[in-house]
Amino acid sequence: MAAKVTVVAHTAVFFDALAGLRMTVVSGALLALSLAVLLAEKSVPVDPAWGTILISGSPLVYLALTRLFFQRNISSALLISIAMVASIAIGELFAAGEVAFIMAIGAILEDRTVERAKRGLKQLIGLAPQQGRRIAAGREEIVPIARIRRGDVLRVLPGETIPVDGEIVAGSTSIDQSVMTGESLPVDKTVGESVFSGTINRFGAVDIRAAKVGEDSSLHKLIRMVREAEDNKAPMQRIVDRWASWLVPAALVIALIAYAATGDVIRAVTVLVVFCPCALALATPTSIMAAIGQATRHGVLIKSGEALENMGRVDSIAFDKTGTLTHGILEVSDIAVFVPDRTEEQLLGLAAAVESRSEHPLGKAVVARAAALNLALLPVEQFAMVPGKGIAATVDDSEIRCGNSAYLEENGIAIGGEIQAVLAGLRQQGKAGILVAEAGRCIGMVALSDTLRQGAAEMVRRLRRMGTEVILLTGDHAHTAAHFAARANIEQVRAELLPAQKVEWIKTMQAQGRTVCMIGDGVNDAPALKTADVGVAMGTMGSDIAIEAADIALMGDDIGKLPYLKRLSNVTIRTIKGNIVLAMVINCAAIAMSVMGLLTPITGALVHNAGSVLIVLNAARLYDRKLN
């Protein structure tokens, strides 16, 4: 049994090699040589068309037989095989080679449109920590992740990835949760709060008690969802294969009727040759290749014909926020001064001086703004940091503290009602605030925010005019999500979602009969990108995992290309349908001429070839069509 399986495997590899691009080029050269010999009416010992039949024809025969006997499936390859055998039987080798070569070209074109990279899942698996610091009997030991059990206490140092889902039992820190929630800001965490595997501890050391380990952890669930979504993606099925169940019987019946009525076997074989759906097979892949080529010129990478086709049917588009609708880069948005003896520039200079010693993303954004304004930073002494709360230092003989309200109040600095009102207003706008205190009093605040992509609101309006519903699915806080959704003219908002919850929302929309497109950029978006009918990733800012999980990538991160993408898809589908109609008309006319004896297998093959060329030329018009 094992030997039989080995033989079958080796046979499949052999025929796959014959169907490759290089061998198909050789096959085409031999077919051209056969045509030259035929037109020159030369006699040669061996017709070069035999080479085409062996190279391009034998894989088709193998495919037809395996589908017929092992899958009980009548495919278009069976009809082509019958036509080849019939042509060979009456000595029409060029006709046999021609239909085999055209189908080989169609197979290569379609394979190029459905190639899908698998690197993204491997990269996602690479995020999973392989070990953790377990605290047992007062001692710290490094153990493999497989040995960590629920209830174990683990220590996570600054910069390390959290190995399991759990709860902080000691320490405070800031956690980069972007891998799970897509949040642009690190989240401050302290005792009693939950943390997720795969997220990164940015500052203080913390001890956590493991709650979910191994395959139950959030990161492994994320990996599992991506893998399942990948496995559930059905490949694009050829139109001719869907019709093969009646194409084959119809061809055989017409050929037999022609033979019975005329007694001419040449006419019957000619019917089989012209009936071969080569032009029909080229209608879809050539149109898709041309459309993909045009999209690439406009900075849109489409990975498969199925994605292009589905995009035209999309009626609901779900956006992630951070890095998609927004740039995902923090910038200083506001500076508020609460005392009369300090200016905005002075306040920013003090905050930037202290934050220059910090590694916190908020602090780096403050320093970047000061650098952009060419502010000279004052010397800093006695720098100290309380992870997850704030920092302190001496600047120009004054004690400066930067942090949240709880940090300032813990150090005896009063936060009045006016300051609280300003903080509340900033939270409503999705902004983060760093309070700045000098010599025991709160002197001001620096606010930071993500920024909405230019043209986002207009893009949403254009999609709506095309009859497309727009929804925001984000892991960010509700206030932040609502603020940016309002600015982008998005009415439906679902906030504070984990990856699994995004997937559930997409499945809910699909259950309602909608065709859903998901736009995202982060690792946390990968399951949603895979689950959606079409996944679109931000190609420049997006993570490699999101790009590999998506069907389409916007290489310039220009979400304004989405309306163009829908128009391109619609035009492509119309072109494919037009090509199919044209191919059927040519085939019907050729069949009629064959029955009447006006075509022979050779002239029928040439007409058949001309029809295929016409289909390719019509599809090629898509490449330069103006759609903007």
Side-chain angles (χ1 to χ4, degrees):
M1 182 66 181
K4 183 179 180 181
V5 172
T6 302
V7 170
V8 172
H10 285 309
T11 304
V13 170
F14 171 74
F15 284 117
D16 285 343
L18 287 180
L21 179 60
R22 290 183 179 179
M23 294 305 295
T24 302
V25 171
V26 174
S27 172
L30 292 171
L31 185 66
L33 183 59
S34 176
L35 179 61
V37 170
L38 185 67
L39 295 176
E41 298 182 350
K42 297 284 186 179
S43 177
V44 293
V46 179
D47 193 323
W50 274 114
T52 302
I53 293 169
L54 292 173
I55 294 172
S56 296
S58 56
L60 280 170
V61 174
Y62 174 75
L63 177 64
L65 294 178
T66 53
R67 286 184 175 179
L68 181 64
F69 292 110
F70 294 106
Q71 301 176 14
R72 300 292 189 269
N73 179 21
I74 297 176
S75 65
S76 58
L78 181 60
L79 175 57
I80 298 159
S81 299
I82 293 172
M84 281 195 304
V85 171
S87 298
I88 293 170
I90 63 171
E92 300 290 355
L93 298 180
F94 175 79
E98 186 270 345
V99 293
F101 176 70
I102 293 295
M103 288 303 293
I105 291 293
I108 288 174
L109 288 174
E110 188 164 359
D111 286 343
R112 290 293 177 91
T113 67
V114 297
E115 288 178 352
R116 300 294 302 274
K118 302 293 184 181
R119 295 189 304 270
L121 185 59
K122 293 180 181 178
Q123 292 171 352
L124 185 56
I125 293 172
L127 294 177
Q130 300 302 308
Q131 57 189 22
R133 301 174 183 273
R134 185 168 62 187
I135 307 300
R139 295 176 55 193
E140 180 182 309
E141 59 177 346
I142 305 294
V143 296
I145 198 72
R147 289 177 53 192
I148 297 176
R149 299 289 181 263
R150 183 177 179 180
D152 285 351
V153 175
L154 307 172
R155 180 160 295 160
V156 185
L157 302 181
E160 292 184 341
T161 300
I162 295 175
V164 297
D165 291 7
E167 179 182 305
I168 296 177
V169 294
S172 298
T173 188
S174 292
I175 303 291
D176 179 354
Q177 297 189 150
S178 58
V179 68
M180 284 294 149
T181 66
E183 292 173 281
S184 56
L185 300 175
V187 179
D188 294 337
K189 297 280 188 177
T190 189
V191 174
E193 295 188 275
S194 299
V195 293
F196 304 110
S197 63
T199 59
I200 300 172
N201 180 21
R202 286 299 185 193
F203 300 106
V206 290
D207 292 348
I208 63 174
R209 178 172 286 110
K212 295 180 180 179
V213 300
E215 294 297 321
D216 293 329
S217 68
S218 298
L219 182 60
H220 280 278
K221 287 181 180 178
L222 186 64
I223 294 169
R224 191 158 57 249
M225 283 188 291
V226 174
R227 182 181 283 121
E228 289 172 355
E230 174 71 41
D231 292 341
N232 290 334
K233 277 285 189 182
M236 183 174 63
Q237 187 180 26
R238 298 180 189 177
I239 294 175
V240 289
D241 277 346
R242 291 202 294 264
W243 293 353
S245 59
W246 65 266
L247 276 175
V248 174
L252 293 174
V253 168
I254 294 174
L256 289 173
I257 291 174
Y259 176 69
T262 65
D264 187 355
V265 70
I266 300 295
R267 297 191 187 193
V269 173
T270 305
V271 168
L272 292 176
V273 170
V274 300
F275 216 117
C276 288
C278 296
L280 196 59
L282 291 172
T284 298
T286 52
S287 299
I288 287 172
M289 287 293 286
I292 288 175
Q294 180 184 138
T296 302
R297 290 166 55 203
H298 287 81
V300 180
L301 177 61
I302 303 174
K303 297 183 182 180
S304 72
E306 183 185 20
L308 186 64
E309 182 180 355
N310 287 343
M311 193 67 200
R313 297 199 298 266
V314 163
D315 52 30
S316 300
I317 294 184
F319 284 91
D320 175 48
K321 182 190 77 67
T322 305
T324 304
L325 278 179
T326 68
H327 288 97
I329 301 173
L330 293 174
E331 295 181 355
V332 173
S333 58
D334 305 271
I335 299 176
V337 181
F338 302 142
V339 294
D341 56 331
R342 286 292 188 184
T343 65
E344 290 186 3
E345 186 174 285
Q346 290 174 331
L347 179 69
L348 179 62
L350 288 172
V354 180
E355 294 287 2
S356 66
R357 298 289 187 91
S358 171
E359 291 298 318
H360 199 288
L362 297 181
K364 290 182 177 180
V366 172
V367 174
R369 170 54 69 89
L373 296 177
N374 295 317
L375 297 182
L377 300 185
L378 296 170
V380 175
E381 298 176 350
Q382 299 178 350
F383 175 83
M385 177 179 68
V386 179
K389 294 185 177 181
I391 56 178
T394 300
V395 180
D396 199 16
D397 296 327
S398 294
E399 184 185 55
I400 307 297
R401 293 185 183 274
C402 299
N404 56 33
S405 56
Y407 174 64
L408 266 59
E409 288 176 340
E410 286 176 6
N411 288 275
I413 301 170
I415 306 297
E418 178 186 351
I419 298 175
Q420 294 286 4
V422 174
L423 282 172
L426 289 173
R427 292 192 190 100
Q428 291 290 336
Q429 298 175 41
K431 299 176 181 178
I434 299 176
L435 293 172
V436 183
E438 180 183 24
R441 59 174 182 160
C442 184
I443 64 172
M445 178 178 58
V446 179
L448 301 100
S449 175
D450 200 350
T451 54
L452 191 71
R453 289 187 184 274
Q454 187 175 3
E458 176 58 25
M459 177 271 301
V460 171
R461 279 192 288 268
R462 290 169 64 191
L463 288 174
R464 281 183 176 161
R465 286 198 296 267
M466 298 172 74
T468 306
E469 184 180 34
V470 179
I471 184 171
L472 181 63
L473 301 180
T474 178
D476 259 354
H477 295 294
H479 289 317
T480 303
H483 171 72
F484 282 101
R487 292 182 60 193
N489 293 320
I490 298 176
E491 296 177 357
Q492 296 191 58
V493 182
R494 301 291 180 269
E496 301 181 17
L497 301 179
L498 292 174
Q501 293 171 311
K502 289 184 180 181
V503 169
E504 288 304 316
W505 272 107
I506 289 174
K507 288 182 177 179
T508 298
M509 289 188 283
Q510 290 171 329
Q512 295 169 351
R514 303 184 198 176
T515 303
V516 183
C517 172
M518 175 70 193
I519 321 289
D521 78 309
V523 173
N524 63 298
D525 297 319
L529 290 169
K530 279 292 185 186
T531 303
D533 298 283
V534 182
V536 179
M538 311 302 283
T540 303
M541 289 293 294
S543 71
D544 290 342
I545 293 168
I547 293 170
E548 297 300 342
D551 304 296
I552 299 170
L554 303 178
M555 301 313 294
D557 290 350
D558 184 3
I559 55 177
K561 295 291 185 184
L562 289 171
Y564 156 79
L565 186 57
K566 275 191 63 65
R567 283 197 299 273
L568 175 64
S569 177
N570 292 335
V571 171
T572 302
I573 298 307
R574 286 199 297 269
T575 301
I576 290 172
K577 290 179 178 178
N579 278 346
I580 290 172
V581 171
L582 180 60
M584 294 298 290
V585 169
I586 293 173
N587 268 21
C588 289
I591 291 167
M593 294 172 69
S594 300
V595 172
M596 291 185 291
L598 299 177
L599 294 177
T600 65
I602 292 177
T603 56
L606 294 174
V607 169
H608 177 266
N609 204 359
S612 299
V613 171
L614 186 60
I615 294 297
V616 172
L617 291 176
N618 186 46
R621 294 171 57 243
L622 273 172
Y623 186 77
D624 292 315
R625 187 159 181 174
K626 303 296 182 183
L627 294 171
N628 284 329

